[in-house]
Amino acid sequence: MGSLIGIVNIGLGNIDSVGRAVRYLGYEFKLCEVPGDLDSVDKIIFPGVGSFRAAVAILAETTFDEAIKDQVLKGNKPILGICLGMQLLAQHGSEDGGADGLGLIGGHVELHRGALEGVSIPHIGWNDVHHQGGELYKGIESGTCFYFVHSYELLLDSVPPYVATANHGVDFIAGFEAGHIFGVQFHPEKSQEKGLQLLRNYIEY
Amino acid sequence: MLKHRVIPIVLLDGYSVVKTINFDTRRNLGNPITVARIYNSRNVDELILLDINASKSGEKIDEFTVAEVASECFMPLAVGGGLRSAEDISRILSKGADKVVLNSIALENPDFIADGASRFGAQCIVVSIDVKKNGAGQYTVYSHSGKDVRYSLLDWVKEVERKGAGEIVLNSVDNDGCMEGCDLELVRSVSSCVKIPVIAVGGVKEPSDAVGLIRSGAAAVAASSIFHFTSITPNDLKDEMLAAGLPVRR
């Protein structure tokens, strides 16, 4: 498989750091500003920060929602959702009154349950990620720290082949791999050499 | 479990890295991009980049420098220096910063903290508080513009949290650049009156000082001189913290 990376840009949050990381690793990327831009790329990275509901509205308005689903489900292109990008792969998010996501993974997004356990939300900082292997974590030990910034968490309906977890008041989903659909709640592009390694693993798998 | 961070601070005066003593005497230390590259290769937790002359001279931190540093940085990057409007913040974020550090503008207009937090998210707004002891030995908030500050230290700290800042950078001016140890009492009194993370700065002379700062309530330790002028690295601090049973990222 070729390795032209398409980075989806729906104008929410700073996506430049993902592009800088991809370039630093020696690969080319294309910023996908309109759905048609996805046609020529081999793999998709879907970053994002901000509100789930606002992002869903933009995805619908730009028709990126149908385009991403087509590319991933019919075109069989791999996708890596980062932070809000991972959450948007789920079926539903409750933030700001709620909205339906892309439904590429069975699950929904809720306020982080750590809020009920007395830990501070948003969950910001470096935390240990425990994983059971999979493509993303090749050469990365379970328990390696990654950088998180989020208030909401993904709750999965069923257990995909690979799930990574972290603990903040409660154990929560830090990432998953289900076939060619990947998600990470943390920011690999801000997680130093292990984060770059994870991006390289995705690009090269 | 979240980790206690060790954060190098890179101070700029225009295009050069500098280091002060007691916020005064300056030494020029060369090119910020080279310095950032070294910290990146040291795999640090985070980096703070501040232009210490910008506010005083009515300038802003150089955007090109921020962009160049960001292109070498794959860790969170906090940037400050003369940022006075939402547009300034927006522009610095677009150059690759993850957070902005506010100081003078926050003192002049505390509502600016709230506006920034609601527009960019609390995690993006870091307020830097410089503290100096007066003749009577009381802590006072130090203003770079030389204007009188109408808040007592603890009132200002609480106000900063109330306005929605995500973090506080607490600088001890009296210890700045001295490498003679830290003011743990200052860290204790400030961190005990807020819930948001306090990043303690000023005076680290040896790795064990980091343990003292965290045990006094700091969430993170930042330093500059010790990394510029000695062979001690951020990892040396973290080794000491780890040995003391504190969670750090290794």
Side-chain angles (χ1 to χ4, degrees):
Chain A
M1 184 183 285
S3 54
L4 178 61
I5 300 298
I7 300 177
V8 179
N9 182 16
I10 57 170
L12 271 186
N14 186 0
I15 50 122
D16 291 355
S17 51
V18 176
R20 271 196 295 273
V22 171
R23 194 182 306 123
Y24 184 84
L25 291 168
Y27 290 93
E28 283 184 56
F29 69 89
K30 175 174 180 174
L31 269 190
C32 298
E33 314 271 359
V34 294
D37 290 342
L38 293 169
D39 293 340
S40 61
V41 306
D42 301 299
K43 282 181 184 159
I44 302 168
I45 295 181
F46 186 24
V49 292
S51 149
F52 189 100
R53 193 171 173 189
V56 165
I58 297 171
L59 287 171
E61 193 185 323
T62 55
T63 69
F64 254 122
D65 52 355
E66 291 308 319
I68 292 173
K69 282 191 265 188
D70 272 358
Q71 297 282 349
V72 174
L73 296 177
K74 294 185 190 142
N76 225 24
K77 278 183 195 170
I79 187 167
L80 170 64
I82 296 175
C83 197
L84 178 64
M86 173 189 89
Q87 297 180 353
L88 288 165
L89 302 180
Q91 286 156 321
H92 188 81
S94 65
E95 192 172 355
D96 294 336
D100 287 336
L102 297 174
L104 291 172
I105 183 88
H108 57 287
V109 177
E110 300 285 346
L111 184 66
H112 198 290
R113 289 162 297 147
L116 304 171
E117 304 293 326
V119 296
S120 64
I121 299 296
H123 170 229
I124 302 177
W126 293 90
N127 207 337
D128 315 295
V129 171
H130 297 279
H131 66 77
Q132 314 145 329
E135 294 290 346
L136 292 185
Y137 297 96
K138 282 186 175 158
I140 299 172
E141 272 181 58
S142 184
T144 296
C145 281
F146 290 91
Y147 188 75
F148 291 83
V149 183
H150 63 119
S151 298
Y152 286 75
E153 65 166 322
L154 171 64
L155 300 164
L156 293 168
D157 290 344
S158 57
V159 182
Y162 295 100
V163 170
T165 59
N167 184 281
H168 184 61
V170 296
D171 284 338
F172 68 95
I173 302 295
F176 66 85
E177 173 181 337
H180 63 302
I181 300 173
F182 301 81
V184 287
Q185 179 62 65
F186 51 83
H187 289 271
E189 76 282 10
K190 288 287 165 186
S191 297
Q192 287 283 29
E193 54 196 33
K194 298 300 179 186
L196 293 173
Q197 174 74 43
L198 185 144
L199 288 172
R200 183 190 292 282
N201 288 346
Y202 174 68
I203 295 168
E204 293 182 353
Y205 99 92
Chain B
M1 184 189 267
L2 282 172
K3 308 302 176 193
H4 294 296
R5 294 160 287 163
V6 174
I7 307 171
I9 298 185
V10 178
L11 299 178
L12 298 177
D13 180 354
Y15 304 102
S16 319
V17 177
V18 293
K19 185 63 201 93
T20 52
I21 297 175
N22 301 135
F23 277 34
D24 199 355
T25 316
R26 263 172 217 200
R27 267 171 78 173
N28 192 322
L29 297 166
N31 182 321
I33 295 136
T34 315
V35 172
R37 195 173 292 150
I38 290 167
Y39 286 129
N40 195 53
S41 73
R42 291 203 191 284
N43 198 23
V44 298
D45 297 332
E46 189 165 330
L47 195 66
I48 297 178
L49 184 67
L50 297 176
D51 189 314
I52 54 172
N53 212 30
S55 268
K56 232 180 287 179
S57 54
E59 306 272 326
K60 295 179 209 320
I61 188 164
D62 178 56
E63 288 178 15
F64 177 76
T65 303
V66 174
E68 286 294 297
V69 168
S71 71
E72 302 281 343
C73 269
F74 298 101
M75 74 287 232
L77 175 65
V79 173
L83 306 177
R84 304 188 58 85
S85 67
E87 290 65 39
D88 290 346
I89 296 178
S90 206
R91 210 153 41 233
I92 287 301
L93 297 179
S94 77
K95 299 297 172 193
D98 300 286
K99 320 177 185 186
V100 292
V101 183
L102 308 177
N103 190 328
S104 307
I105 182 70
L107 277 172
E108 284 167 42
N109 174 19
D111 287 336
F112 187 70
I113 302 170
D115 295 345
S118 74
R119 180 150 169 194
F120 302 100
Q123 84 290 340
C124 191
I125 305 296
V126 182
V127 173
S128 165
I129 301 178
D130 301 329
V131 181
K132 199 170 165 47
K133 272 188 179 163
N134 64 14
Q138 295 159 320
Y139 293 124
T140 60
V141 179
Y142 174 88
S143 155
H144 293 262
S145 54
K147 287 181 196 145
D148 278 345
V149 177
R150 57 197 166 95
Y151 295 91
S152 73
L153 171 61
L154 296 187
D155 284 348
W156 177 233
V157 166
K158 289 175 201 159
E159 180 72 353
V160 163
E161 179 176 58
R162 200 159 40 230
K163 291 290 180 191
E167 286 179 302
I168 288 173
V169 171
L170 180 66
N171 295 297
S172 167
V173 177
D174 301 307
N175 292 300
D176 170 62
C178 297
M179 292 190 280
E180 289 174 351
C182 306
D183 186 344
L184 300 184
E185 185 48 44
L186 171 64
V187 174
R188 257 192 297 273
S189 56
V190 167
S191 54
S192 63
C193 72
V194 285
K195 289 208 183 83
I196 54 175
V198 171
I199 302 170
V201 193
V204 173
K205 79 163 186 276
E206 56 195 15
S208 62
D209 288 333
V211 175
L213 289 168
I214 299 297
R215 289 200 173 138
S216 302
V221 174
S224 180
S225 298
I226 192 174
F227 304 139
H228 283 314
F229 300 131
T230 79
S231 60
I232 294 170
T233 66
N235 277 337
D236 294 331
L237 271 60
K238 290 208 261 182
D239 285 343
E240 195 79 18
M241 293 158 83
L242 197 63
L246 300 172
V248 293
R249 160 181 166 267
R250 288 315 317 268

